[in-house]
Amino acid sequence: MIRSRSGKDDMSDSPVKTRRDGAILEVTLDRPKANAIDLVTSRVMGDVFREFRDDPDLRVAILTGAGEKFFCPGWDLKAAADGDEVDGDYGVGGFGGLQEMRDMNKPVIAAVNGIACGGGLELAISADMIIAADHATFALPEIRSGTVADAASVKLPKRIPYHIAMELLLTGRWFDAEEAHRWGLVNEIVPADSLMERAWDLAALLASGPPLVYAAIKEIVRDAEDAKFQDAMNRITKRQLRTVDVLYDSEDQLEGAKAFAEKRDPVWKGK
């Protein structure tokens, strides 16, 4: 599905566009008018992120939305009215292909270019870093339609102060990029016309780093989320995590030490 290797767009008839340049993959949700996600789109996104995860030549992904108004408003209520079931088959990776993707051990950057609400906000917080355009707005309005923001109810109180997370979940109120940054929900705010340039600059920085270390960091963070400190440390030091075991026997581990001793930049091979 991901075929372009020269910065060219791919999958022109798909609700998900990809642009691949070197080790970076840009994924753009493109479903006019608002980039809402139905079951078909979610399954396509899952396929894209699975291929990104499994491609050894790709190191970083950027997720954004087409246009200037919407990143993603979440679940497509019109599709639901036409028969899409809320508990239907979202495909590998769950809703939006990212929030339940197993073993996603590569960095993902969300470039939020406008409205990110409901499942769209849940999709953004499934990324590792969030860059927001200065006009971006956020909300979890599920409460107003008599349903639950399930992934956000799990993740948000672990990302920002508990009482703020509960306020946002229980009221469904809107908040802007400045407030999101104040609570640590987004990493930085940039002018809208600089959003993708900044996302690509950050992706290039990450792509130049050690992929095996990134993988170990992501697995350690996931594994330790609900673990006691010493239990988590024991699993690391005893090499019970696959990515840590791979890292400690890798050429990259030795290369890092050699480069430091030789006072040069390391050359990461991902093996």
Side-chain angles (χ1 to χ4, degrees), residues 40-54:
V40 170
T41 301
S42 183
R43 291 194 287 267
V44 173
M45 294 177 75
D47 290 340
V48 167
F49 281 114
R50 176 172 55 190
E51 291 186 39
F52 164 70
R53 180 196 66 187
D54 296 342

Side-chain angles (χ1 to χ4, degrees), residues 36-258:
I37 296 176
D38 61 359
L39 290 178
V40 170
T41 301
S42 183
R43 291 194 287 267
V44 173
M45 294 177 75
D47 290 340
V48 167
F49 281 114
R50 176 172 55 190
E51 291 186 39
F52 164 70
R53 180 196 66 187
D54 296 342
D55 188 331
D57 294 326
L58 287 172
R59 296 189 177 185
V60 185
I62 301 168
L63 172 63
T64 193
E68 300 176 353
K69 186 175 181 181
F70 290 97
F71 172 74
C72 175
W75 179 238
D76 187 340
L77 295 179
K78 290 184 178 180
D82 290 338
D84 268 13
E85 297 179 350
V86 69
D87 59 350
D89 178 13
Y90 291 108
V92 61
F95 181 81
L98 184 60
Q99 65 184 19
E100 297 177 66
M101 179 62 72
R102 293 177 61 86
D103 300 323
M104 176 56 85
N105 291 329
K106 299 177 180 180
V108 179
I109 301 165
V112 178
N113 55 303
I115 292 171
C117 64
L121 177 51
E122 292 177 315
L123 186 59
I125 64 176
S126 297
D128 301 295
M129 300 180 187
I130 302 176
I131 302 173
D134 51 12
H135 70 288
T137 54
F138 308 85
L140 294 165
E142 284 86 346
I143 189 75
R144 299 179 184 179
S145 56
T147 189
V148 62
D150 47 10
S153 296
V154 174
K155 294 181 178 182
L156 199 61
K158 298 177 181 179
R159 307 289 178 83
I160 65 175
Y162 172 84
H163 295 102
I164 302 302
M166 292 304 292
E167 177 196 351
L168 299 177
L169 287 162
L170 294 172
T171 68
R173 72 172 177 84
W174 288 86
F175 56 104
D176 61 16
E178 290 289 346
E179 183 175 357
H181 186 261
R182 186 164 70 247
W183 298 124
L185 189 62
V186 305
N187 295 81
E188 58 183 288
I189 304 168
V190 298
D193 59 3
S194 301
L195 178 66
M196 296 313 297
E197 179 182 1
R198 175 57 186 143
W200 274 85
D201 285 346
L202 180 56
L205 173 64
L206 295 176
S208 70
L212 296 184
V213 178
Y214 292 158
I217 289 171
K218 291 200 65 172
E219 186 174 23
I220 288 169
V221 170
R222 287 196 310 271
D223 185 75
E225 189 170 30
D226 296 312
K228 293 181 179 179
F229 174 79
Q230 196 58 57
D231 291 340
M233 288 300 297
N234 288 342
R235 284 174 58 75
I236 297 168
T237 57
K238 294 178 182 179
R239 297 171 63 158
Q240 294 175 350
L241 301 179
R242 184 188 64 82
T243 56
V244 174
D245 189 49
V246 169
L247 173 65
Y248 285 174
D249 281 334
S250 68
E251 293 179 26
D252 277 2
Q253 177 87 0
L254 183 59
E255 167 65 8
K258 285 183 175 180

